[in-house]
């Protein structure tokens, strides 16, 4: 799963959570039979095969099902523990030895742990568990959910992590893999999609009956059930050296998107081909459907039936660079999972990090191979350094950690798993060498094909191929320990002493930690790698030019340099490769946050590295100065000076590039150049508040909203619509909301909603949260709007008070996968020791023991640390920035 939490921005009207359709108060006798599993089920019952027969009409509030599970009972028992959440169970029986034994279904906890009890003990051996039930569709992207798009209803499944239990009874954990035979009964004329090829469509009792071939062994969370009046485009992935037959391929989307599916069809063909080459084997399943849904926050790797948020697949050749980059990276990530995650699946959720970390690395790597011109690969390093900001906190977790309770599972899908984990994979691959690492991956895949595996299995395969016993403990030092290594260099002239410690922000003292760091250095053309396992070591590196302490940027560590070495590195930053430039920007900013580097160094880096030709590097040039503004270290004169500085830095660049907001003005342009122009416009129209550019954007937005479709290219929506709103206030917000909700466009609608929420206008924020009502606003969109109000500094206090008063409604309000786990992130923008204590006081007991507990601890620490930095350095910083010319 590529979990992209798309919450750019008020809950206008919450629907009540679906009432549990199980026993309201489970009998004490049922609970007393055995402890209720809080996480992993026992192996007392092992599923061997599923038959799912569901009646699905997305236009209705509920669906129904008949499910049969072939299982094996390990010993004689009068009950079976399994999963099912909010299922109205009409009938449950055990079919054994030609006898039907009726059972009683009881849901035991809110996460969906259930117990099936019988009046007589069932003997050990084979049994078929049969169920008849109905259940509610979800309004948010979890379980079996439905959405109204235009005048039609569509339904999709999203089961990772533990939401399959909201759609059918089963043993909902990744260690159980078995074939599924799926039948979907739908209103006539609808398209149905599942993991395996559709065998037939017949008509029974006025419904279309779609029967699918049995799947290969799958865990419950990878089952796909999609129904709706979809538009489809079909093709084939041509044969490859690994596959001698064409692979059937379809892009499946809502009808309004029908004209923009060709790019995804062609792009998917190329990505599949590159992946087959890397893994050295054919695509694992009989067909591939790529499906979209308008409210999914990211994408999901259902075997043979991947699911994506609309804008990832719905695009054409005129789409902006960043959207094409997202397509390449996310599609390569999800399709990489078809092998690494679907074909070989983690045995339990504590190893989901390996599944996601590897796929994250693979997404950037294969995406870059598919379209080198889009420069997708450098995004992996940018994501990794962003993850360090979370990993540097004292509150947190290692990549690989025990998961004992269901409430802990969703916390594993965070930036530590994706950003840090992906970089650790890249670091080991770079140290081992690409060929050896690939050979280790292939060995691991071959040993566990169609089965389950653990991190230890993966590490073992790598150690065997590497022939270096140090690799295993080095990898585990990064996966099993929290924190970011800080490598401090002393000396110069090619002879250095490097000392490792754990990076700490100003005012914090982390525990002593040591890693096995694959350290790669560069001076000029000379590159040298070593494995740093001791606290300190001497290193020598000849060559010319400044010391680059993280060659290629692939290392997961930060560095500190003597001032003279910093100055040489900053002076060279305009010509550094993107990964190294990103490493420099991250380490210098982190040095300032720790109380070491100063404002003049941040300014020098911004002036120099802004000219770097790589768009990731040039965007990171002002990362440190952004931190000063976001952390409230700038007083009013300093803020004005900072705006002037940004204008002076970027206005001449945009003048050289030129700017025309009209549709299609730059469609034939080089992707990097187009992305660079977008960054310049966003900087000048936003933080720099360049009035001439803002007037141009505002006029274009007004003309576009007045009906001139050629006046504003969609690439400028996120820059022009905020200006239009800023000029025209509440009336513009009302108009924009109506236009957004009347549209199904996967780019315009979410951008417009985000712009309204992030307006920074208190009148608009109050209207949005307290007064606005529109039934066209989807449940997940309502929640996302609240986040935007809280995220903007000008409306943050009001938004926090509103969120605090509506917390339980938000947690139950249909946000979908991982929303509850990430909800406290809404408050990350605060910067105050006192506010940190207030947040802990208000929310601590309400999230204790629940999904979101870890993220709250992180948020409280971020807010406190920011307050400490502001208190310590605001006077110094404001004085220095105010002198900028």
């Amino acid at each position: 799963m590529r979990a992209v939490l798309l919450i750019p921005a008020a809950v206008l009207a919450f629907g009540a959570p679906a009432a549990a359709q199980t026993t309201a108060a489970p009998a004490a006798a049922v609970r007393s039979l055995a402890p209720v599993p809080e996480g992993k089920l026992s192996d007392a019952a092992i599923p061997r095969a599923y038959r799912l027969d569901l009646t699905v009409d997305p236009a209705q509030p509920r669906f129904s099902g008949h499910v049969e599970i072939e299982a094996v009972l390990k010993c004689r028992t009068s009950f079976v523990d399994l999963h099912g959440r909010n299922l109205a169970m009409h009938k449950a029986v055990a079919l054994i030895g030609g006898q039907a034994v009726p059972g009683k279904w009881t849901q035991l906890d809110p996460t969906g742990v259930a117990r099936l009890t019988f009046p007589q003990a069932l003997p050990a051996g084979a049994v078929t568990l049969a169920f008849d039930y109905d259940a509610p569709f979800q309004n948010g992207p979890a379980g079996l959910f439905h959405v109204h798009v235009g005048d039609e209803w569509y339904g999709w499944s999203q089961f990772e992590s533990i939401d399959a239990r909201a759609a059918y009874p089963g043993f909902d954990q990744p260690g159980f893999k078995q074939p599924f035979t799926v039948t979907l009964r739908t209103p006539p004329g609808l398209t149905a999609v599942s993991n395996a090829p559709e065998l037939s469509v017949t008509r029974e009792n006025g419904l279309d009956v779609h029967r699918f071939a049995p799947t290969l062994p799958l865990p419950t969370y990878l089952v796909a059930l999609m129904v709706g009046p979809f538009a489809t485009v079909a093709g084939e992935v041509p044969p490859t050296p690994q596959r001698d037959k064409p692979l059937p391929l379809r892009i499946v989307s809502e009808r309004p998107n029908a004209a923009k599916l060709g790019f995804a069809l062609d792009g998917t063909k190329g990505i599949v081909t590159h992946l087959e080459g890397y893994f050295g084997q054919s695509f694992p399943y009989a067909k591939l459907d790529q499906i979209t849904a308008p409210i999914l926050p990211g994408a999901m790797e259902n075997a043979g039936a991947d699911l994506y948020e609309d804008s990832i697949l719905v695009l054409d050749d005129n789409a902006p660079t960043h959207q094409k980059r997202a397509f390449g990276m996310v599609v390569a990530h999800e399709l990489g999972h078809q092998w690494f995650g679907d074909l070989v699946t983690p045995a339990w959720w504590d190893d989901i990090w390996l599944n996601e970390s590897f796929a994250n690395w693979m997404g950037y790597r294969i995406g870059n191979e598919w379209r080198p011109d889009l420069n997708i690969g450098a995004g992996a390093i940018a994501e990794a350094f962003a993850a360090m900001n979370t990993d540097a906190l004292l509150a947190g977790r290692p990549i690989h950690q025990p998961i004992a309770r269901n409430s802990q599972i969703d916390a594993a899908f965070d930036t530590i798993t994706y950003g840090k984990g992906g970089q650790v994979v890249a670091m080991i691959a770079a140290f081992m060498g690409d060929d050896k690492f690939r050979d280790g991956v292939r060995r691991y895949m071959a040993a566990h094909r169609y089965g389950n595996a653990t991190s230890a299995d993966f590490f073992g395969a790598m150690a065997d191929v590497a022939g270096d016993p140090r690799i295993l403990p080095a990898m585990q030092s990064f996966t099993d320990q929290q924190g970011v290594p800080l490598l401090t260099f002393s000396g110069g002239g090619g002879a250095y002493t490097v000392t490792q410690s754990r990076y700490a922000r100003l005012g914090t003292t982390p525990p002593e930690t040591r890693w096995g760091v694959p350290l790669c250095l560069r001076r000029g053309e000379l590159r040298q790698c070593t494995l740093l396992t001791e606290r300190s070591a001497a290193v020598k590196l000849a060559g010319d030019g400044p010391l680059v302490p993280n060659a290629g940027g692939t290392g997961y560590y930060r560095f500190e340099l003597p001032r003279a070495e910093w100055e040489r590195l900053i002076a060279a930053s305009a010509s550094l490769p993107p990964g190294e430039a990103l490493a420099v920007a991250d380490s210098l900013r982190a040095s300032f946050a720790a109380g070491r580097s100063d404002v003049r160094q941040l300014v020098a880096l911004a002036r120099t590295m802004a000219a770097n030709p790589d768009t990731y590097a040039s965007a990171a040039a002002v990362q440190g100065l952004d931190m000063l503004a976001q952390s409230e270290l700038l007083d009013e004169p300093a803020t004005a000076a900072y705006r002037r500085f940004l204008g002076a830095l970027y206005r001449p660049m945009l003048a050289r590039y030129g700017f025309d907001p009209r549709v299609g003005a730059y469609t034939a342009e080089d992707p990097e150049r187009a992305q660079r122009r977008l960054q310049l416009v966003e900087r000048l129209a936003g933080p720099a508040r360049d009035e001439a550019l803002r007037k141009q954007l505002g006029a274009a937005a007004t003309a576009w909203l007045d009906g001139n479709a050629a006046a504003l290219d969609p690439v400028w929506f996120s820059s022009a619509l905020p200006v239009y709103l800023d000029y025209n206030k509440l009336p513009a917000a009302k108009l924009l909301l109506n236009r957004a909700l009347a549209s199904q466009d996967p780019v315009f609608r979410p951008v417009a909603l985000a712009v309204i929420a992030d307006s920074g206008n208190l009148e608009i924020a109050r209207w949005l949260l307290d007064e606005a009502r529109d039934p066209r606003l989807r449940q997940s969109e309502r929640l996302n709007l609240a986040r935007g109000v809280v995220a903007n500094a000008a409306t943050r206090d009001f938004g926090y008070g509103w969120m605090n008063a509506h917390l339980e409604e938000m947690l139950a309000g249909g946000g979908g996968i991982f929303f509850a786990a990430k909800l406290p992130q809404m408050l990350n923008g605060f910067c105050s020791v006192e506010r940190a204590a207030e947040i802990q006081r208000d929310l601590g007991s309400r999230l204790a023991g629940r999904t979101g507990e870890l993220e709250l601890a992180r948020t409280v620490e971020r807010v406190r640390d920011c307050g400490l930095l502001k208190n310590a350095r605001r006077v110094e910083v404001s004085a220095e920035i105010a002198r900028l010319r």
Side-chain angles (χ1 to χ4, degrees):
M1 168 125 208
R2 176 65 186 178
V4 182
L5 191 63
L6 300 176
I7 305 183
V11 181
L12 311 183
F14 283 101
Q21 299 296 318
T22 55
T23 305
V30 174
R31 287 184 168 276
S32 69
L33 293 171
V36 177
E38 294 185 343
K40 189 182 297 187
L41 298 174
S42 73
D43 62 354
I46 305 295
R48 297 300 187 198
Y50 284 75
R51 289 182 291 277
L52 308 183
D53 189 333
L54 274 61
T55 299
V56 180
D57 181 353
Q60 300 302 313
R62 302 179 73 84
F63 60 93
S64 61
H66 174 78
V67 170
E68 295 180 359
I69 308 172
E70 294 181 11
V72 174
L73 301 180
K74 187 176 182 179
C75 58
R76 183 178 175 84
T77 183
S78 62
F79 70 93
V80 174
D81 285 339
L82 69 170
H83 296 112
R85 188 170 69 235
N86 294 348
L87 307 180
M89 191 61 63
H90 306 303
K91 184 179 180 181
V93 299
L95 305 173
I96 191 164
Q99 181 184 6
V101 181
K104 178 184 178 183
W105 172 271
T106 304
Q107 182 176 324
L108 299 176
D109 76 0
T111 71
V113 177
R115 183 163 287 167
L116 189 58
T117 55
F118 301 95
Q120 62 197 63
L122 306 179
V127 64
T128 298
L129 304 175
F131 306 90
D132 291 293
Y133 66 98
D134 68 82
F137 280 106
Q138 306 301 306
N139 294 317
L144 200 55
F145 66 99
H146 65 168
V147 175
H148 201 223
V149 180
D151 296 325
E152 299 175 303
W153 284 92
Y154 298 78
W156 300 265
S157 62
Q158 168 52 49
F159 291 156
E160 192 176 38
S161 59
I162 57 170
D163 287 319
R165 59 193 65 177
Y168 60 90
F171 298 83
D172 189 21
Q173 59 191 48
F176 295 132
K177 290 182 75 172
Q178 54 283 305
F180 286 77
T181 302
V182 174
T183 299
L184 293 174
R185 301 172 188 270
T186 75
L190 298 186
T191 298
V193 181
S194 190
N195 306 89
E198 188 175 62
L199 297 178
S200 66
V201 182
T202 59
R203 185 68 57 85
E204 297 178 15
N205 299 319
L207 295 176
D208 282 355
V209 181
H210 306 259
R211 292 184 170 89
F212 298 86
T215 71
L216 294 164
L218 296 177
T220 49
Y221 78 89
L222 290 177
V223 172
L225 308 168
M226 320 297 185
V227 173
F230 293 108
T232 64
V233 295
E236 293 178 333
V237 185
T240 63
Q242 298 78 30
R243 176 174 38 80
D244 59 6
K245 295 180 181 179
L247 174 69
L249 169 66
R250 291 189 303 177
I251 310 299
V252 181
S253 188
E254 310 91 83
R255 280 197 224 252
N257 301 329
K260 288 190 175 184
L261 305 181
F263 185 97
L265 186 73
D266 292 339
T268 297
K269 294 176 185 179
I271 290 171
V272 168
T273 300
H274 282 287
L275 285 165
E276 289 182 325
Y278 185 85
F279 287 113
Q281 56 183 286
S282 66
F283 188 81
Y285 303 102
K287 59 87 179 174
L288 173 60
D289 287 322
Q290 300 271 76
I291 308 137
T292 77
I295 64 171
L296 189 76
M300 179 64 207
E301 68 270 17
N302 307 310
D306 284 0
L307 183 64
Y308 302 84
E309 186 272 327
D310 275 359
S311 67
I312 296 171
L313 295 191
V314 182
L315 69 165
D316 57 23
D317 287 327
N318 297 327
T321 300
H322 63 84
Q323 192 179 7
K324 292 177 181 176
R325 283 177 175 173
F327 171 85
M329 185 276 162
V330 178
V331 170
H333 175 118
E334 301 308 330
L335 294 182
H337 271 311
Q338 301 292 302
W339 287 267
F340 208 100
D342 297 6
L343 184 65
V344 179
T345 304
W348 178 241
W349 295 110
D350 54 359
D351 281 321
I352 198 66
W353 76 268
L354 179 59
N355 196 18
E356 297 298 341
S357 299
F358 181 87
N360 223 48
W361 174 75
M362 184 62 78
Y364 286 108
R365 177 200 172 97
I366 297 298
N368 209 62
E369 287 184 7
W370 164 68
R371 284 283 301 269
D373 62 315
L374 292 175
N375 190 22
I376 294 171
I381 299 172
E383 185 174 353
F385 290 134
M388 288 183 185
N389 296 328
T390 297
D391 201 24
L393 299 168
L394 300 183
R397 65 176 188 88
I399 300 175
H400 184 215
Q401 69 171 80
I403 292 179
R405 302 189 311 273
N406 288 322
S407 61
Q408 297 173 318
I409 295 170
D410 283 357
F413 294 84
D414 65 359
T415 186
I416 299 302
T417 289
Y418 291 92
K420 178 180 182 178
Q423 184 77 343
V424 169
V425 170
M427 182 169 61
I428 299 300
F431 186 79
M432 287 178 61
D434 196 59
D435 290 346
K436 281 189 174 182
F437 184 79
R438 181 204 60 206
D439 291 346
V441 170
R442 291 180 177 181
R443 176 176 294 198
Y444 167 79
M445 299 295 294
H448 305 284
R449 187 176 175 88
Y450 296 116
N452 297 89
T454 66
S455 298
D457 296 322
F458 181 76
F459 292 153
M462 289 298 149
D464 289 346
V465 169
D468 185 344
R470 300 177 303 164
I471 289 293
L472 181 59
M475 291 175 72
Q476 290 176 319
S477 75
F478 279 90
T479 60
D480 295 355
Q481 297 183 123
Q482 181 188 347
V484 180
L486 174 67
L487 304 186
T488 301
F489 289 78
S490 58
Y496 306 94
T497 297
V498 57
T499 302
Q500 67 163 294
S501 60
R502 180 169 166 177
Y503 172 78
R505 303 171 194 248
L506 183 69
T508 63
T509 305
E512 290 289 326
T513 311
R514 186 180 298 183
W515 292 265
V517 182
L519 172 63
C520 291
L521 311 176
R522 183 178 70 82
R523 290 188 73 200
E525 298 299 317
L526 191 61
R527 188 176 189 271
Q528 175 181 301
C529 293
T530 187
L531 190 63
L532 178 65
T533 57
E534 299 302 317
R535 182 68 63 193
S536 295
V539 294
K540 291 187 177 181
L541 186 64
D544 298 318
L547 172 68
V548 179
N550 190 347
T554 57
Y556 188 81
Y557 52 82
R558 285 170 166 165
F559 55 83
E560 190 65 73
L561 299 172
R563 190 172 187 92
E565 293 286 351
W566 266 126
E567 289 176 357
R568 282 190 284 271
L569 193 54
I570 290 169
S573 62
S575 59
L576 290 176
E580 294 177 355
L582 290 168
V584 171
D586 173 77
S587 285
L588 187 62
R589 183 204 59 77
S591 177
F592 183 91
R596 292 186 290 271
S597 65
D598 60 42
V599 177
R600 283 170 292 179
Q601 290 174 296
L602 298 179
V603 171
L605 184 70
R607 291 188 193 276
T608 304
M609 204 166 85
N612 193 296
D614 181 88
T615 55
Y616 287 103
S618 59
V622 293
Q623 183 183 78
L625 296 181
D626 283 344
M627 177 188 66
L628 307 183
Q630 293 162 3
S631 301
E632 303 176 7
L633 271 74
L634 305 185
D635 60 17
E636 191 170 334
T639 298
Y642 181 48
R643 287 178 176 169
R644 290 193 298 271
F645 172 80
L646 292 177
L649 184 64
Y650 291 122
R651 199 175 293 114
M653 295 182 185
L654 184 60
R656 290 195 297 271
Y657 275 70
F659 176 63
D660 183 346
R662 290 175 297 180
V663 169
Y666 305 109
T667 54
E669 195 169 42
D670 171 76
E672 275 283 275
R673 183 176 176 87
Q675 179 66 11
R676 180 67 164 146
R677 180 185 290 101
L678 175 62
Q679 292 171 348
L680 294 172
V681 169
E682 288 177 339
R683 279 278 168 190
L684 288 167
R689 297 188 71 80
D690 183 280
E691 196 55 37
L693 177 61
R694 285 169 61 83
K695 285 181 179 178
Q696 187 179 7
L697 287 166
T702 300
W704 187 83
L705 289 166
D706 285 345
N708 182 354
L712 184 67
D713 194 287
V715 71
W716 309 116
F717 282 165
S718 60
S719 297
L721 294 177
V723 177
Y724 169 80
L725 197 63
D726 192 31
Y727 286 168
N728 297 289
K729 311 305 180 188
L730 183 58
K734 293 180 177 180
L735 182 148
L736 199 55
L737 179 65
N738 185 61
R739 290 288 296 271
L741 298 184
S743 171
Q744 304 303 326
D745 185 280
V747 173
F748 170 69
R749 181 174 175 136
V751 168
L753 294 176
V755 164
I756 299 166
D758 192 34
S759 69
N761 182 299
L762 189 56
E763 183 183 24
I764 292 174
R766 291 186 185 279
W767 162 77
L768 196 57
L769 295 184
D770 292 336
E771 299 176 31
R773 298 288 186 272
D774 195 306
R776 296 172 296 174
L777 195 63
R778 297 159 184 157
Q779 198 86 326
S780 59
E781 291 172 333
R782 293 166 178 159
L783 291 166
N784 290 348
L785 291 172
R787 190 180 186 97
V789 171
V790 180
N792 191 287
T795 55
R796 187 172 292 141
D797 287 337
F798 165 72
Y800 173 61
W802 192 95
M803 169 194 165
N804 199 14
H806 295 82
L807 182 67
E808 292 302 324
E809 296 170 83
M810 296 181 75
L811 289 172
I817 51 174
F818 315 135
F819 179 86
K822 301 180 187 299
L823 182 66
Q825 292 178 358
M826 294 170 66
L827 308 176
N828 283 342
F830 282 116
C831 186
S832 161
V833 175
E834 295 75 20
R835 180 68 80 172
E838 180 184 353
I839 293 170
Q840 179 61 45
R841 182 198 68 211
D842 290 345
L843 304 182
S845 62
R846 298 163 74 183
L847 292 178
R850 301 171 66 177
T851 295
E853 181 178 31
L854 173 59
E855 202 55 49
L856 176 64
R858 287 170 168 166
T859 294
V860 169
E861 186 177 343
R862 285 188 188 100
V863 173
R864 184 186 64 244
D865 288 356
C866 183
L868 291 172
L869 182 66
K870 179 173 66 175
N871 294 343
R873 307 199 70 172
R874 190 169 194 260
V875 173
E876 159 213 346
V877 167
S878 287
E880 193 67 42
I881 295 295
R883 288 193 287 269
L884 280 178
R885 294 292 183 267

